[in-house]
Amino acid sequence: MKKILSFMDWGIFALRLYHYILLLSQALAVSELSIRTLLNVIWLGAALGVPLLFWFPGRRMNKVWFCILELLLGGSYYVHSVIDPDLTSKADYLLPSLTMGYLLTKQTLWIIPVVVFIPFSFQSHLRLSWEQPLSIGADNLLFCFIGMWASLVANAYDQKNKLVAEVEHQNKLLTHYSAEIEKMTLLEERNRMSKELHDTLGHSFISLILSLDASIALMDSKPAEAKDRLIRLRALAEKNLDDMRNIVHEMGGEEESSLIRQVESLAARFREHTGTALTLSLPGTERSIRFEVRQTILRVIQESFTNAIKHGKASQLDLELKFSESHLQLSVRNNGKPIDKLNYGFGLTTMKHRVERLGGSLHLSSGKGTPAVTEVRCEIPLKGVMPLGEN
């Protein structure tokens, strides 16, 4: 769509051009071309062309000097044409007033009184009554205001078109940004789901494998006990399926749950299916914590249990959970084989990243001694917590 501001600029330019071409044609419409006529033609040509050196649609925009030169050259010719009775190209100053009103700025506000008082410059010479120059000045002022109104309308349309273009550009950016955010959200949720599956299934399958190994060993010597173990393993498999369903449900909402009860349930299943001694030290009063914090603590416990049995061959584990004024602290110790070279595997690395994302820290330490102790220590800040109740 053609820009309205450019259209108005060329329209005003055309009106002014028509004004001076008409005067030039009148000046040249004489029977004999005299020096006086030639001077008038040069004067009109200068009034037409010189101001255009400072304002031309779409190119030069020095409006102040345009108005000054228009008044000096065009205004002086207008006064001269009124005073000289023999001049054939009689002029008015309506269209030049319209042009200067259209180009009005804060620096050229003085133009308004000038176009009003130009007719009074020849009042005494022509011995006119006050009503005549006042009427001519009012006409000049009216055309000046029409030019100002045209400029306001053109600039308003131009600003509207720019605003529409900017809004369309911003909408495109927002659409692109939304697509990127959706892509990042899906990727983050996929990563979160894979971590949850690894943490939950890894721990559960370790327990299943250990219990199946024990059941296989008892098949010949103690078939009744082996059968009992297999029954319990079936119950564990059903429990694992329920855990998977719970993970999917918990992804969609943060339901209120007791961390201590979950830890106790996790420890009971671990004792039952691995036969490993486990002592718990839990707080009597629990705080209300966010879903992400609760899930992270449970996954750290599961990963610590799994590593202690799978890699450390531990026979004794100690879990301590406590709330301070501003932090939730977890410690899981085991008496398994000490770690010669501390190395965070995939599971602990995932846990470390999850804890750090919540503003906490996770540390692994292992020392040789009697007995050797390997410890996983985790600390997560609590924000906006409230007492949940007595355990």
Side-chain angles (χ1 to χ4, degrees), residues 187-205:
L187 182 60
E188 183 177 355
E189 190 63 24
R190 184 186 302 169
N191 291 336
R192 179 183 174 188
M193 182 68 79
S194 66
K195 292 173 183 177
E196 289 287 346
L197 292 175
H198 168 269
D199 300 337
T200 304
L201 287 178
H203 172 75
S204 301
F205 279 119

Side-chain angles (χ1 to χ4, degrees), residues 270 276-280 304-306 308-309 314-319 332-335:
F270 178 77
T276 306
L278 171 62
T279 60
L280 298 178
S304 301
F305 285 178
T306 300
I309 298 298
S315 60
Q316 174 67 42
L317 284 86
D318 299 287
L319 184 151
V332 181
R333 295 179 294 274
N334 69 79
N335 64 348

Side-chain angles (χ1 to χ4, degrees), residues 176-193 357:
H176 177 71
Y177 177 74
S178 298
E180 289 296 321
I181 290 296
E182 183 179 1
K183 181 179 178 181
M184 291 173 61
T185 302
L186 291 174
L187 182 60
E188 183 177 355
E189 190 63 24
R190 184 186 302 169
N191 291 336
R192 179 183 174 188
M193 182 68 79
R357 190 172 62 179

